[in-house]
Amino acid sequence: MAKSDVDVVVVGAGFAGMYLLHELRENGFTSRVLESGKDVGGTWYWNRYPGARCDIATTDYQYTWDPELHEQWTWSEKHAAQPEILEYAQFVAKKHDLYSGIDFEVKVESAEWDEVAKRWHVRTSTGETITCRHYVMATGCLSVPKDPDIAGTDRYRGPVYVTGRWPHEGVDFTGQRVAVIGTGSSAIQSIPHIAEQAKELVIFQRTPNFSVPTLNGPQPADRVARLKADRATYEDEARLSYSGVPIPPSTVSALATPRDEANALLEQSWQRGELLSVGATFMDAGTSRDANEVVAEFVRSKVRSVVKDPETAELLSPRGYPYGTKRPCMDTNYYQTFNLPHVRLVDLNTKPIRSITETGIDFGDESKEFDSIVYATGFDAMTGAIVAVDITGKDGLTLKQKWENGPLTYLGLTSVGFPNLYMITGPGSPSVLSNMMVSIEQHVEWIRDTLIDMRAKGLDTIEPTAMAEEGWRQHCADCADITLFQDTNSWYMGANVPGKPRVLFPYIGGVGRYRRICDEVRERDYLGFELAGSGKSSTNDGLVREIQPDVEMLLDAMAMLNLPPIESMSPPDARMFMEMSSAVRPPGPEVGEIIDGMLPGADGPIEYRLYRPPTPGPHPVVVYYHGGGWVIGSHTSDDPLCRELCVKSNVVIVSVNYRHAPEHRFPAAADDSFAALQWVAANAASLGGDPTRLAVAGWSAGGNVAAVAAQLARDNGGPSLKGQLLLTPAVDGSKEYSSMRENAEGYVLTKSLMDWFWDHYADPSDRSHPKASPLLAESLANLPPAVIVTGQYDPLRDEGDAYAAALKAAGVPVQHIQARGHTHTSVGMVDVLPSGRPVRDQMAAALRGFFV
Ligand code: N01
């Protein structure tokens, strides 16, 4: 007789529930696993439609936790079909005696947290109530078919089939007139098989999908060889990869590759016949629409090459959404099916379904009779199965209520108000954007280790903090914001289910990064969790990731390059190094005109570069000062940023090459900056600008001299300025702010580099002079309106913040933009870091605002 009071209740006996059961037993936890089906296998138990096949190759879609399995089980194909995967699940369940720990044909109806007993009460369809300390939803991401939201579905009197609930005995469509509604993965796999039997097949398509041929056959020889040579390394690579399959990240930009070469690379990927290969051909296809279009057009050309009727080919060609933002499909002879005389494609955009009728379907101006209707209309993904169970946490709040506006989780594993509730591959984890096997194993192991840790410390409950959960929501949103997913109506975004909140449900920061974060949470003593038991409780509040994901990725890549620190170089070498780094960056947008010239500095001529917008002038003029710690950089070194500011703000930018230290120490840079401003003001009209609309701008040390130039203009009778834009400026060299210590290392501008810059530029005794430290000016009143951008991970953050506050206190209008998750250098990296774009948009708008 199974116990009604256990350590852990697990819902679901798919690959997640099976592995968790094994681990719980191995570690001495009592458990009950409840499964509504009659067997193990989860997704592979339910999805028995013809042609159902795994889109991840069998080399990668298998358990790694039992090494013996690799000897005992041999996959017959590269992409295994549903019956074989189900057999594999059954084989593992038998081998490890898992059947004895699973209650089949039992549905969980509700689960309620008992705050006094600190236990969950789980009520089942058999009328039993099971009490447990920990409650795990291992219910899968795509397990609840969505209601087909089509008029008249209940009128039809013939047989209806839903791909996700296919009859176990199979269906024979021989001689039938069959309708298939939907063209997602399930439809694309089943349609060629249904077409083989049906007398007539009509496919109702709302949105065409991108599909890649499976090219099935034996397992790829190169993968098998790698696995045989060193399985441990292969599996580790998968675990730390972006999507759970060990494909090396691309370093090729589609935009920077001539189209014929790009197509040749895509052809190689196409020939691999793997779900992830085409999308992973280029590094920028996931973040740039233009780059993505190179991939999309290649796939469309493949459709045209197969489908003989050009009109049908065009209808089958996805347009208007980027490749990969709806789940790409894998097929065997899908497009070829449309060349068969008895197969017809109906475009629901021009011929919408008016109603399902008793005998068929009314669509467009037609009425057609069918012998069977197949709904391949998808799932209430990610959250459907979790909220289908009535889960009530603390204070009577249900998870369904809490998630009304979108799922809120910490790490996609836990949720505030629901102690000891865990979700395997839940929303906010890589889940459906990953190889599920890798993600399942990682979650099971994290939960197992957490339970072991809690037991060892005598702790009964674990619950995330509100701050950690909000921080995770923000991090997930930051990751989503730099991708192209947001604008596409996909089930990833909840768009397929009417009324579902529109957010990106899975975590898109990558499997490897996610694993590192989860590990870090445990290593940092359960950061973001409150743990309690036996009269003691501890809250370790905090945020596990605040840095912008693309900034983190760049920092990781730079760390791997192991570059020498700039401060270890001589100034000439440092300048050369900076020039070489600049040479490989994207150029920034086209401007109307660029003119290089000379202007009189404080002590001789200095160079400038003028950027003119393509619009008719005269334009406002902005004198721009480059970054580089007064030592490195030049009037061209911030070229992409100057171009973008020019175009986006519709202003003439004059970028000035003030003299550099150590050859020319303080106050040479400040004096040149002011001299350049005076000259530009006097010559604005001949430069095509409007002398009455003048401003200064600068980044870093350039922000320093821009602020100084604005003060000198105020104190020396002009020129009159409309504004000053200071991006992560250095404004006080006289003391060390806490951000200098907090961000001393690891964020490109380091404390030691900043010290090196100051040492080259100004003696310690000079640093309190307002021409070196404009924050220390006697008065900050009557300065032009300021826009100040500071970066969270910038050693200069606090002094920039202090300057913004001091200007405000002095009555200067200030727009202070605190760039969350950014470093000293990241905001200005045009076309490299998408997360900087919104900040630069704000800067450009503010610059425009100076002149209205
Ligand atoms: O479901 P889907 P699926 N009227 O949501 C259409 C995984 N999977 O079961 O795109 C008309 O993708 C809908 O149209 P639109 C895989 O992750 C994996 O095929 O919303 N049409 C769409 O065409 C996959 O992505 C594997 O405009 C309606 C289709 O129905 C996920 O499961 C195999 C409609 C639904 O496509 C889901 O795939 C199979 C309406 N009212 C699935 N409502 C393998 O790994 C919906 N549609 C092999």
Side-chain angles (χ1 to χ4, degrees):
M1 175 80 183
K3 284 172 38 171
S4 286
D5 189 355
V6 288
D7 295 325
V8 189
V9 163
V10 181
V11 189
F15 282 118
M18 289 167 62
Y19 180 34
L20 184 56
L21 171 60
H22 180 267
E23 292 305 287
L24 292 172
R25 280 176 168 175
E26 286 288 294
N27 290 284
F29 294 102
T30 56
S31 65
R32 292 278 298 273
V33 178
L34 310 174
E35 165 60 52
S36 62
K38 291 183 183 166
D39 204 341
V40 295
T43 244
W44 303 106
Y45 170 85
W46 295 106
N47 285 274
R48 296 167 187 248
Y49 59 82
R53 200 173 274 288
C54 186
D55 282 352
I56 299 286
T58 42
T59 39
D60 305 291
Y61 193 85
Q62 55 182 336
Y63 280 140
T64 64
W65 54 268
D66 174 4
E68 283 177 10
L69 285 173
H70 306 312
E71 308 305 322
Q72 294 166 341
W73 185 269
T74 307
W75 294 101
S76 67
E77 292 177 289
K78 180 175 72 160
H79 290 279
Q82 174 268 333
E84 189 176 12
I85 305 174
L86 183 57
E87 261 175 56
Y88 174 76
Q90 291 162 337
F91 177 80
V92 176
K94 277 185 209 134
K95 175 177 178 207
H96 290 283
D97 184 31
L98 300 179
Y99 281 110
S100 64
I102 303 170
D103 294 6
F104 292 100
E105 295 185 83
V106 175
K107 264 184 106 112
V108 175
E109 290 182 342
S110 69
E112 195 170 343
W113 175 249
D114 180 341
E115 181 64 4
V116 178
K118 308 285 183 206
R119 296 178 92 74
W120 284 97
H121 300 298
V122 179
R123 206 161 47 78
T124 73
S125 52
T126 60
E128 188 184 4
T129 297
I130 307 169
T131 302
C132 58
R133 176 74 75 199
H134 302 276
Y135 177 56
V136 185
M137 294 297 279
T139 38
C141 297
L142 294 155
S143 40
V144 175
K146 76 161 203 168
D147 288 334
D149 42 341
I150 299 169
T153 41
D154 47 357
R155 286 172 62 189
Y156 185 65
R157 291 198 297 263
V160 162
Y161 304 101
V162 177
T163 44
R165 290 286 180 273
W166 205 256
H168 286 201
E169 62 281 10
V171 181
D172 185 359
F173 291 108
T174 305
Q176 292 193 15
R177 297 161 300 170
V178 182
V180 174
I181 302 177
T183 48
S185 291
S186 305
I188 282 179
Q189 288 189 329
S190 54
I191 281 167
H193 294 268
I194 297 173
E196 275 174 21
Q197 296 179 334
K199 180 171 80 182
E200 186 185 352
L201 175 61
V202 181
I203 294 136
F204 292 88
Q205 170 185 276
R206 188 162 68 183
T207 316
N209 250 305
F210 291 100
S211 186
V212 174
T214 313
L215 306 179
N216 212 6
Q219 294 185 314
D222 57 338
R223 292 279 181 82
V224 175
R226 277 175 67 197
L227 270 169
K228 285 217 164 110
D230 186 355
R231 181 174 285 278
T233 303
Y234 183 97
E235 289 172 352
D236 277 348
E237 278 177 27
R239 292 179 188 122
L240 294 175
S241 67
Y242 183 73
S243 44
V245 177
I247 299 178
S250 170
T251 51
V252 182
S253 156
L255 292 179
T257 308
R259 187 57 76 97
D260 53 342
E261 279 175 38
N263 284 341
L265 289 173
L266 284 163
E267 183 63 34
Q268 279 174 21
S269 302
W270 187 263
Q271 291 306 333
R272 291 193 69 85
E274 288 197 44
L275 178 67
L276 303 168
S277 54
V278 171
T281 309
F282 301 111
M283 61 192 267
D284 43 4
T287 51
S288 154
R289 265 198 174 254
D290 291 342
N292 191 288
E293 181 54 23
V294 175
V295 180
E297 184 45 34
F298 174 84
V299 180
R300 288 193 288 262
S301 75
K302 289 289 186 185
V303 177
R304 290 192 294 271
S305 73
V306 176
V307 180
K308 292 193 178 126
D309 172 39
E311 208 177 307
T312 308
E314 182 52 30
L315 285 179
L316 288 165
S317 299
R319 293 192 189 275
Y321 70 89
Y323 181 89
T325 57
K326 273 169 105 71
R327 160 74 147 72
C329 306
M330 294 212 76
D331 71 277
T332 303
N333 293 334
Y334 175 62
Y335 294 112
Q336 289 80 349
T337 303
F338 292 90
N339 294 333
L340 299 173
H342 65 293
V343 175
R344 173 184 171 196
L345 182 68
V346 171
D347 172 23
L348 291 177
N349 300 296
T350 51
K351 288 180 174 248
I353 295 179
R354 286 180 281 119
S355 181
I356 311 280
T357 66
E358 285 68 16
T359 53
I361 302 180
D362 289 350
F363 59 98
D365 53 3
E366 295 181 49
S367 292
K368 243 191 118 32
E369 297 201 336
F370 291 104
D371 301 311
S372 298
I373 297 180
V374 175
Y375 290 105
T377 40
F379 297 89
D380 183 354
M382 304 288 301
T383 51
I386 300 176
V387 298
V389 174
D390 197 4
I391 302 178
T392 309
K394 281 159 121 182
D395 305 321
L397 182 73
T398 67
L399 200 57
K400 197 172 183 174
Q401 289 164 339
K402 178 177 170 181
W403 285 4
E404 235 165 37
N405 298 319
L408 287 172
T409 69
Y410 182 39
L411 307 173
L413 270 164
T414 58
S415 193
V416 175
F418 298 84
N420 296 6
L421 167 72
Y422 312 83
M423 290 156 277
I424 295 188
T425 62
S429 77
S431 55
V432 290
L433 291 174
S434 71
N435 174 357
M436 279 300 211
M437 278 296 198
V438 171
S439 290
I440 283 171
E441 290 195 345
Q442 186 243 335
H443 267 185
V444 166
E445 286 158 16
W446 194 92
I447 294 169
R448 172 200 67 198
D449 294 343
T450 300
L451 298 193
I452 292 172
D453 287 348
M454 287 174 71
R455 183 174 58 191
K457 291 180 184 157
L459 296 166
D460 298 329
T461 60
I462 181 167
E463 184 188 349
T465 67
M467 183 207 258
E469 186 171 89
E470 168 53 22
W472 188 249
R473 187 205 59 72
Q474 183 65 64
H475 176 62
C476 291
D478 287 344
C479 292
D481 283 350
I482 58 175
T483 70
L484 305 173
F485 276 71
Q486 319 268 20
D487 300 335
T488 300
N489 287 326
S490 68
W491 59 259
Y492 292 139
M493 297 289 302
N496 65 330
V497 176
K500 210 170 169 178
R502 195 185 168 97
V503 289
L504 183 60
F505 283 68
Y507 173 74
I508 196 170
V511 163
R513 182 205 304 251
Y514 177 78
R515 174 182 290 269
R516 280 194 294 270
I517 290 174
C518 291
D519 289 349
E520 190 183 321
V521 164
R522 282 192 60 239
E523 279 153 22
R524 292 172 69 185
D525 205 12
Y526 291 91
L527 179 66
F529 282 107
E530 182 181 350
L531 291 119
S534 329
K536 57 187 173 193
S537 90
S538 68
T539 304
N540 184 8
D541 213 354
L543 302 173
V544 66
R545 271 303 171 282
E546 289 185 88
I547 196 153
Q548 292 290 340
D550 51 353
V551 175
E552 186 184 19
M553 230 181 299
L554 185 75
L555 292 174
D556 287 349
M558 286 175 71
M560 278 170 60
L561 291 177
N562 217 1
L563 298 168
I566 289 182
E567 62 272 29
S568 69
M569 304 177 194
S570 67
D573 285 351
R575 288 172 193 144
M576 207 186 321
F577 176 76
M578 185 159 171
E579 262 175 46
M580 279 161 52
S581 318
S582 298
V584 293
R585 71 192 162 177
E590 284 289 321
V591 297
E593 185 186 22
I594 288 189
I595 299 171
D596 288 332
M598 302 293 287
L599 60 79
D603 186 30
I606 55 178
E607 296 156 291
Y608 73 85
R609 172 167 283 188
L610 180 145
Y611 304 83
R612 195 186 311 289
T615 52
H619 300 95
V621 184
V622 177
V623 183
Y624 178 87
Y625 306 101
H626 67 83
W630 308 278
V631 178
I632 54 184
S634 73
H635 58 305
T636 60
S637 59
D638 293 355
D639 203 66
L641 180 61
C642 289
R643 286 167 178 271
E644 195 183 88
L645 284 174
C646 165
V647 175
K648 281 194 180 166
S649 302
N650 200 30
V651 296
V652 164
I653 300 270
V654 181
S655 173
V656 174
N657 197 17
Y658 50 84
R659 281 170 297 160
H660 295 129
E663 295 86 345
H664 306 280
R665 288 171 63 81
F666 172 81
D671 289 343
D672 276 351
S673 301
F674 184 49
L677 174 60
Q678 288 176 307
W679 182 84
V680 172
N683 294 277
S686 58
L687 294 172
D690 174 354
T692 66
R693 293 187 295 162
L694 194 64
V696 289
W699 165 52
S700 188
N704 170 281
V705 293
V708 169
Q711 292 188 6
L712 292 174
R714 176 197 61 180
D715 299 341
N716 291 280
S720 159
L721 295 177
K722 296 283 187 200
Q724 48 181 328
L725 168 66
L726 311 178
L727 172 58
T728 57
V731 286
D732 185 2
S734 71
K735 66 174 195 193
E736 193 177 284
Y737 290 79
S738 13
S739 57
M740 189 62 83
R741 285 187 296 278
E742 280 167 35
N743 303 323
E745 290 282 339
Y747 302 110
V748 184
L749 177 65
T750 59
K751 175 176 164 11
S752 63
L753 178 57
M754 199 60 213
D755 288 346
W756 187 79
F757 284 145
W758 272 115
D759 289 346
H760 280 308
Y761 183 47
D763 292 341
S765 57
D766 284 332
R767 293 182 199 170
S768 301
H769 194 289
K771 272 168 86 171
S773 296
L775 176 61
L776 305 184
E778 212 164 275
S779 165
L780 295 176
N782 302 318
L783 285 167
V787 172
I788 299 186
V789 183
T790 53
Q792 185 179 359
Y793 292 99
D794 183 0
L796 304 186
R797 178 196 66 210
D798 289 355
E799 59 195 82
D801 287 349
Y803 198 50
L807 287 172
K808 255 186 219 169
V812 175
V814 175
Q815 186 180 345
H816 183 188
I817 303 170
Q818 291 175 296
R820 195 176 44 77
H822 277 281
T823 64
H824 184 71
T825 50
S826 57
V827 167
M829 299 186 77
V830 176
D831 291 338
V832 176
L833 298 176
S835 64
R837 197 183 306 135
V839 184
R840 291 196 309 277
D841 285 347
Q842 270 181 289
M843 285 165 48
L847 200 51
R848 275 198 312 275
F850 287 155
F851 306 113
V852 289

